[in-house]
Amino acid sequence: MDVILGSLGQLLSGWHLLFLVLGVLLGLSVGLIPGLGGLAGMAMILPFLFHMDMGTALALMIGLTSVTTTSDTFPSVLMGVPGTSGSQATVMDGFPLSKQGEAARALSAAFTASLIGGVFGALVLTGAVFVAKPIILAIGFGEQLMLVLLALTMVGMLTGASPIKGMAACGLGLLVGAVGTVDTTGTMRMGFELLYLTDGVPLVAMALGIFAVPEVIDVLRHRSTIASGGKLGAGWLQGVVDVLRHKWIVLRCAGIGCLIGALPGLGGTVIDWIAYGHVVQTSKNRERFGRGDIRGVLAPESANNAKEGGALIPTLLFGIPGSGTMVILLGGLLIIGLEPGPSMFARHLDLVFLIIWSIALANVMGTSICMGLARPISLLTTVRYTLIAPLIFSAVFFAVFQATRDWGDLIALFIAGALGVFMKRFGWSRAAFLLGYVLSDKVEEAIYQTVQAYGFAVFERPLVLILAAVVLISGFFVMRSKNAQAAMQDTGKNARRNVGPQLLFIAAMTAIPVWGIVDTAGRVYSMSLFPVSAAIFTLVFVALVTLSVLFKRAPNAELHDEENATVGRASVGSFYYLGWLVGLLAGAALLGFVPAVALFIFLFLRRKADLSIARAAVFAGLFVLVLGGFAKLLVLDYPAGLLQNFVTLPWPLQ
Amino acid sequence: MLLLAAGALHAETADFKGEKITLIVPYKTGGGATVYTRYLAPLLEKHLPGNPSTIVKNIPGGSSLKALNWFARTATDDGKLVSNTGPAFFIKSLIGEPAVKYNTADFTPLIASRNGWLVYLRPELGETTGGFDKVKGKVLRYGGRSPTTGEMLVLIGFEMLGVPLKPIWGLSSGKRRQAFMRNEIDIGQDTMSSYHKHVVALIKEGQAVPWFTVGYIDDNGAVVRDPMLPDIPSFKEMYVKVHGKEPSGMAWEAYKAVLNIRVMSIRTLIIPRKTKPEILQAYRVAMEKVVSDPAVTGEKGKRVLGPYPHSIGAKAEQVMKAATEMDPKVTAWLKKWLRDKYGVGKS
């Protein structure tokens, strides 16, 4: 107890507090910018850590890593662009709420939930310091497999109106996730022998492509502002009331986030999806999920802040990072001379508590700041969208380029974006696809490791049996739950019209499982078993969808084309805006990334927003300066084009 | 006269005044390689003539091959581009991975840093340190990331000892240790830096028995005990104990080469061999000052860069030579063995 209070004293002493505030401010900033997160923030402070003493360095690092999942809510809710990989699921209901003019409410609800989640995580960490070790060590390969399967059942909650289409989408996600080098043999599969695909398709490219690009295009086509009529509705007080009303959901999801963050097997990127799936599964009236249900915002936001506390448990106890941010935190700890592991608990227990207190305080500070900003920043949803869209497109390309700093990142984003546009149009669940994608390697790994370690003897482990029962119960509820379906009309999006494009899309999607089989069948077992199984699974559901599309006469969930319902309303098609993106890529290939972005913003503002030449140039110029600033800060070179072969451009145009 | 001589000397030595040197890290930000390079960067600034500025740049992708291929293509003879490397630099080239577009012989090391490696066992096996009687004939449960990484070293070792393994792949070093603690694998292995953080406590609690170290190469090129763990037998002694004779043959040659890669040059900074002689000389001189700088020899330096002495100059060359110049017959043996035993490269 003395230790606990002693650390609190140290925390509140001048320097420590100052650096904690600094860390929080930096963390909020990087969380706010899509594609940057705790990792980029830590990369920025890394050079300074060498010269700092242990306490202040720790404050800076913890401040930074604790709040990135608080501010990342802004882009997720306001723009439909996941701010970090931890807030993908927030987009599901957060963005629809913004469109209904309830951005401020959604944000304040999200921040309050984040705060509760973060403090909850810190509390659990306090207790866990003493008891977590045996619990974590009880989770062997078999138990990890069950946890992964449990997560996979959540796909059932994310399928949208057509379960078979959702399952097919999940299968496609599993297959795309299987691209890359296989550990057992060190050989690549399904990657066309491209060096870029050695480590698979980056998550950022997938998440931003699948979610952000289609949303931006959709708003561009159908709306003039994000919020309907350009008005903001209920304010931030409503959001706090929402949290109080759904306090059990918030606490439950905080628990889920903390637990999954701490246990081996799943990792940080799926926590928001699991929390989201969980809240849909356990709610009675679920008609509004996906169309702007506040519970769909509370669940992932509370879980993803609680995760950081949870993920610190294995990081500190075993030196095993529980999330992406923890990987780099470990590096930072090494620099300042704090070596996680059993010896740290013996020698530096005070610092362990300093960490815990810092997390709690950082969460309070981060939430207060974001709360204050919620209302003014929400006003963005009432700004003419044609002014914002080119900036979002450019920001998304910048974000994805952080994945591997390769030309391939830009191309991967475009392909994923086009895929997302058509999945949205034809009613294929993007959430199910993405969950399949993030779970893919975990499913394969867990099955392989369990079979290698135990074979069927795995069912002799009591905890495996208990968890297997939980999986079955969850699966049962998923099967039983029927998504409420709006009545389908002959004139609506589910009508029997425009069948041709739908079949074309199905044919294109069939290519993925076929490629999986062609490329891996006949190779060694460890390389082919998973993709071939996933491909067969996918093909079965794709076939069911095809049959339904071809032969069902009445309107049905498999028949789905958003264009049917919107005919006459949109002046231009999705292809038009995808064309703009092709233009941006082509420009980057010719002029280099930064000049191309400047030109893109300028032309877009001139043509679509009717801005004067001077104003459009100022916008473009400012964005270039921001890009240039990041180039310095993160030591990065933007993709070069043909032009760079002949001239070297000055900063910030490089 | 003295002034004149000094002036003449000056004309021949390199001067980095106002220059910018870029240090490439072929992995994502964070992690040991970034920390290592960032720790050395200001020391290079301090000791290179003219005190150039340095920037550390991470180029991740393709298991470090993207950066290394780019480095091989881009770096000129001006010494302004230096790259950090790890075992993958050597091993990917050794096993003939098609994506490798560089030739290891085209580079020369500025510094090569070491990290020893301990193999330990579950106590349930009842084996003693350096012992073999209890595990003889048993199939041991093995956990690792992939047979195509530096852990190939222990795999060759177990082949030579005649210990059959039941492998589980896909485990990073942390996950491997966790699986070991859960008694899901029999063999644990860690570098010397992790040893102090994690393994010492396990041994104290009776949860692990140190078995042998993979060994260390002394100044004369002989394989000896790890100087950080002088009480624990090396792999070579294990071999003698099991077979009653000194190790020799293809497997042993391969083992020694990978020992140079995995232990004697776990982290290096490399520069093109074609670098102008006076610039290379300036680097060599600077490196001598770097490794005797209190920031390297002190407590903090040992913690960040590892507790072992660092090889520079001719010694680093020697290590690199031993790591890269493998007899084609040995390479062929290694590739065939990896393929037959672990399916490496099988499509």
Side-chain angles (χ1 to χ4, degrees):
Chain A
M1 205 59 202
D2 279 353
V3 181
I4 300 181
L5 292 177
S7 320
L8 185 63
Q10 194 187 343
L11 170 67
L12 296 174
S13 71
W15 284 111
H16 188 93
L17 203 59
L18 181 72
F19 276 93
L20 192 67
V21 172
L22 261 177
V24 166
L25 290 177
L26 189 59
L28 290 177
S29 313
V30 290
L32 199 58
I33 300 162
L36 302 186
L39 210 68
M42 285 293 290
M44 288 181 208
I45 62 168
L46 204 59
F48 305 104
L49 291 181
F50 290 104
H51 313 293
M52 295 169 70
D53 74 69
M54 213 184 255
T56 46
L58 206 57
L60 189 63
M61 286 193 285
I62 297 292
L64 193 154
T65 52
S66 302
V67 297
T68 50
T69 47
T70 304
S71 63
D72 67 354
T73 312
F74 280 117
S76 306
V77 167
L78 298 179
M79 306 292 157
V81 178
T84 66
S85 57
S87 67
Q88 298 162 38
T90 311
V91 176
M92 294 290 288
D93 282 288
F95 193 50
L97 280 167
S98 285
K99 287 185 185 164
Q100 290 149 26
E102 305 212 38
R105 172 191 172 202
L107 283 175
S108 75
F111 296 140
T112 316
S114 290
L115 172 67
I116 294 175
V119 174
F120 182 89
L123 278 176
V124 170
L125 184 57
T126 316
V129 164
F130 303 104
V131 300
K133 200 170 161 183
I135 299 175
I136 292 179
L137 285 181
I139 306 294
F141 294 125
E143 288 79 7
Q144 290 178 31
L145 174 61
M146 291 304 148
L147 288 176
V148 171
L149 292 180
L150 186 62
L152 205 55
T153 62
M154 292 302 162
V155 169
M157 303 318 303
L158 301 168
T159 56
S162 162
I164 55 173
K165 257 172 153 172
M167 296 312 271
C170 172
L172 290 169
L174 289 172
L175 281 162
V176 174
V179 172
T181 308
V182 184
D183 272 337
T184 48
T185 60
T187 321
M188 192 195 277
R189 73 177 166 209
M190 296 169 68
F192 306 97
E193 301 305 316
L194 292 172
L195 187 58
Y196 176 72
L197 292 174
T198 307
D199 303 327
V201 189
L203 171 62
V204 187
M206 273 293 149
L208 291 183
I210 293 283
F211 274 111
V213 172
E215 295 305 332
V216 181
I217 291 181
D218 188 60
V219 176
L220 270 174
R221 290 180 62 206
H222 302 304
R223 290 160 178 266
S224 54
T225 59
I226 293 173
S228 287
K231 282 196 206 77
L232 275 180
W236 65 269
L237 206 61
Q238 175 65 37
V240 181
V241 172
D242 286 323
V243 173
L244 292 177
R245 196 150 50 107
H246 300 295
K247 52 186 176 298
W248 295 117
I249 291 180
V250 174
L251 283 177
R252 247 181 8 235
C253 290
I256 290 175
C258 207
L259 198 64
I260 296 175
L263 297 182
L266 279 171
T269 45
V270 288
I271 285 171
D272 53 329
W273 285 116
I274 294 173
Y276 185 82
H278 167 79
V279 76
V280 179
Q281 191 178 30
T282 52
S283 297
K284 281 221 179 66
N285 43 350
R286 39 177 89 112
E287 302 79 35
R288 300 211 33 88
F289 279 110
R291 294 181 204 135
D293 192 314
I294 197 72
R295 291 171 296 180
V297 175
L298 297 178
E301 283 305 309
S302 126
N304 69 18
N305 273 51
K307 160 194 87 184
E308 295 302 324
L312 256 174
I313 298 172
T315 311
L316 295 182
L317 275 175
F318 304 104
I320 297 168
S323 73
T325 328
M326 291 301 142
V327 175
I328 198 157
L329 184 67
L330 265 181
L333 291 178
L334 175 76
I335 294 173
I336 60 172
L338 206 58
E339 305 192 330
S343 59
M344 175 174 162
F345 282 82
R347 265 184 280 157
H348 296 299
L349 197 60
D350 55 331
L351 285 177
V352 174
F353 284 103
L354 185 64
I355 291 175
I356 295 170
W357 284 115
S358 302
I359 295 177
L361 193 62
N363 268 289
V364 174
M365 290 196 271
T367 306
S368 317
I369 295 172
C370 286
M371 279 287 206
L373 293 173
R375 175 88 198 170
I377 294 189
S378 300
L379 288 173
L380 270 180
T381 58
T382 63
V383 173
R384 205 147 50 100
Y385 195 64
T386 40
L387 289 175
I388 309 175
L391 305 180
I392 298 183
F393 273 136
S394 308
V396 164
F397 272 98
F398 164 78
V400 169
F401 182 64
Q402 302 311 311
T404 67
R405 301 183 171 189
D406 192 290
W407 245 105
D409 292 330
L410 306 183
I411 295 165
L413 172 73
F414 177 76
I415 295 175
L419 182 66
V421 165
F422 291 109
M423 286 182 90
K424 184 176 161 71
R425 172 173 166 184
F426 298 126
W428 291 62
S429 165
R430 291 174 288 158
F433 176 86
L434 211 60
L435 189 58
Y437 164 79
V438 286
L439 281 176
S440 179
D441 55 342
K442 299 178 203 307
V443 174
E444 179 174 22
E445 215 177 88
I447 293 175
Y448 159 78
Q449 287 169 351
T450 306
V451 170
Q452 284 294 102
Y454 294 103
F456 282 108
V458 72
F459 293 109
E460 291 162 17
R461 289 171 71 96
L463 191 53
V464 168
L465 292 177
I466 294 171
L467 286 170
V470 176
V471 173
L472 289 178
I473 291 168
S474 171
F476 172 74
F477 277 110
V478 168
M479 301 288 248
R480 225 189 46 164
S481 76
K482 265 209 180 120
N483 288 312
Q485 293 183 359
M488 291 169 195
Q489 298 156 358
D490 284 339
T491 52
K493 60 190 176 192
N494 301 104
R496 191 160 187 80
R497 272 199 294 150
N498 263 342
V499 177
Q502 299 191 45
L503 288 174
L504 209 63
F505 182 71
I506 291 174
M509 288 303 96
T510 312
I512 297 176
V514 168
W515 168 239
I517 292 175
V518 168
D519 188 66
T520 63
R523 288 175 140 189
V524 285
Y525 202 54
S526 61
M527 292 190 75
S528 61
L529 182 64
F530 178 74
V532 170
S533 314
I536 293 172
F537 171 91
T538 311
L539 284 174
V540 167
F541 283 103
V542 168
L544 289 175
V545 174
T546 315
L547 287 177
S548 206
V549 169
L550 281 177
F551 300 113
K552 267 198 196 163
R553 286 276 142 223
N556 60 76
E558 279 72 53
L559 272 172
H560 183 125
D561 190 343
E562 302 268 342
E563 301 299 304
N564 286 344
T566 57
V567 167
R569 275 175 60 198
S571 54
V572 288
S574 309
F575 282 108
Y576 174 78
Y577 288 106
L578 285 175
W580 272 90
L581 296 187
V582 172
L584 177 56
L585 287 180
L590 283 174
L591 308 173
F593 182 68
V594 180
V597 163
L599 198 64
F600 175 80
I601 294 175
F602 178 79
L603 288 178
F604 199 100
L605 291 175
R606 287 284 296 149
R607 290 197 60 109
K608 307 304 297 180
D610 296 318
L611 238 49
S612 68
I613 291 182
R615 283 189 166 190
V618 167
F619 265 101
L622 283 178
F623 200 88
V624 165
L625 280 180
V626 171
L627 286 181
F630 277 116
K632 290 262 182 228
L633 215 56
L634 296 169
V635 193
L636 55 87
D637 291 334
Y638 291 109
L642 280 178
L643 180 67
Q644 274 77 1
N645 289 342
F646 305 106
V647 282
T648 312
L649 294 172
W651 181 92
L653 288 171
Q654 280 159 355
Chain B
M1 186 63 191
L2 208 67
L3 250 165
L4 225 123
L9 201 73
H10 189 77
E12 279 176 25
T13 50
D15 188 6
F16 290 93
K17 200 170 175 63
E19 306 270 22
K20 192 173 80 181
I21 293 173
T22 305
L23 302 168
I24 305 296
V25 178
Y27 304 97
K28 264 194 176 160
T29 317
T34 310
V35 172
Y36 176 86
T37 312
R38 282 203 179 275
Y39 195 82
L40 287 177
L43 295 171
L44 270 174
E45 288 182 9
K46 182 174 161 193
H47 294 297
L48 275 171
N51 307 104
S53 60
T54 58
I55 50 173
V56 175
K57 188 166 169 182
N58 294 78
I59 307 183
S63 317
S64 86
L65 289 186
K66 190 181 127 193
L68 294 170
N69 286 343
W70 176 84
F71 179 67
R73 214 167 51 231
T74 317
T76 59
D77 60 359
D78 62 6
K80 286 191 205 158
L81 214 50
V82 174
S83 182
N84 165 287
T85 64
F89 169 69
F90 302 103
I91 286 181
K92 301 273 177 193
S93 155
L94 208 60
I95 61 176
E97 189 151 313
V100 171
K101 301 276 185 268
Y102 56 85
N103 186 350
T104 45
D106 291 343
F107 302 97
T108 180
L110 297 175
I111 180 170
S113 300
R114 314 163 188 182
N115 209 339
W117 201 354
L118 174 77
V119 177
Y120 49 94
L121 288 175
R122 285 296 309 176
E124 288 82 356
L125 293 166
E127 191 54 270
T128 53
T129 300
F132 197 73
D133 300 338
K134 291 282 168 58
V135 301
K136 197 174 178 181
K138 273 192 192 138
V139 178
L140 296 187
R141 297 170 300 166
Y142 176 93
R145 179 182 285 288
S146 158
T148 59
T149 63
E151 67 183 88
M152 185 191 290
L153 181 62
V154 253
L155 297 176
I156 302 172
F158 284 120
E159 175 79 19
M160 291 174 73
L161 292 177
V163 176
L165 300 176
K166 183 178 159 192
I168 298 175
W169 302 116
L171 300 176
S172 63
S173 58
K175 284 185 183 168
R176 177 175 62 209
R177 202 179 321 112
Q178 241 180 1
F180 178 86
M181 290 165 79
R182 295 192 303 253
N183 192 12
E184 292 190 315
I185 56 175
D186 293 312
I187 303 171
Q189 25 173 327
D190 267 300
T191 61
M192 217 43 68
S193 14
S194 308
Y195 169 79
H196 291 292
K197 276 181 264 175
H198 304 285
V199 186
V200 171
L202 284 181
I203 294 172
K204 249 190 221 151
E205 291 165 22
Q207 290 295 306
V209 178
W211 198 13
F212 59 85
T213 69
V214 294
Y216 188 81
I217 295 172
D218 71 6
D219 288 350
N220 306 318
V223 179
V224 295
R225 285 190 178 193
D226 194 307
M228 294 295 150
L229 292 174
D231 298 333
I232 295 176
S234 77
F235 165 75
K236 194 176 168 193
E237 293 166 68
M238 288 292 291
Y239 185 91
V240 173
K241 182 171 190 156
V242 171
H243 295 287
K245 58 171 187 190
E246 292 281 307
S248 63
M250 299 281 191
W252 177 237
E253 293 306 314
Y255 184 92
K256 280 192 291 185
V258 185
L259 185 62
N260 269 294
I261 294 170
R262 185 60 183 75
V263 171
M264 303 306 288
S265 51
I266 180 106
R267 295 197 197 292
T268 63
L269 292 183
I270 57 168
I271 196 167
R273 196 171 283 284
K274 65 184 176 198
T275 304
K276 287 189 196 115
E278 67 271 19
I279 290 176
L280 199 55
Q281 184 55 27
Y283 267 108
R284 296 256 187 261
V285 173
M287 270 304 168
E288 271 174 39
K289 294 179 190 155
V290 168
V291 293
S292 50
D293 193 294
V296 171
T297 54
E299 186 258 333
K300 194 173 182 182
K302 285 193 172 148
R303 194 177 66 228
V304 177
L305 303 173
Y308 295 84
H310 307 276
S311 320
I312 53 167
K315 257 197 205 141
E317 277 279 359
Q318 206 185 327
V319 168
M320 182 127 157
K321 215 172 153 186
T324 52
E325 289 183 5
M326 205 189 258
D327 186 326
K329 271 191 253 164
V330 179
T331 317
W333 174 87
L334 184 63
K335 277 194 208 168
K336 185 173 184 306
W337 174 73
L338 279 171
R339 190 184 167 87
D340 295 347
K341 186 104 183 186
Y342 295 108
V344 172
K346 266 193 191 166
S347 52

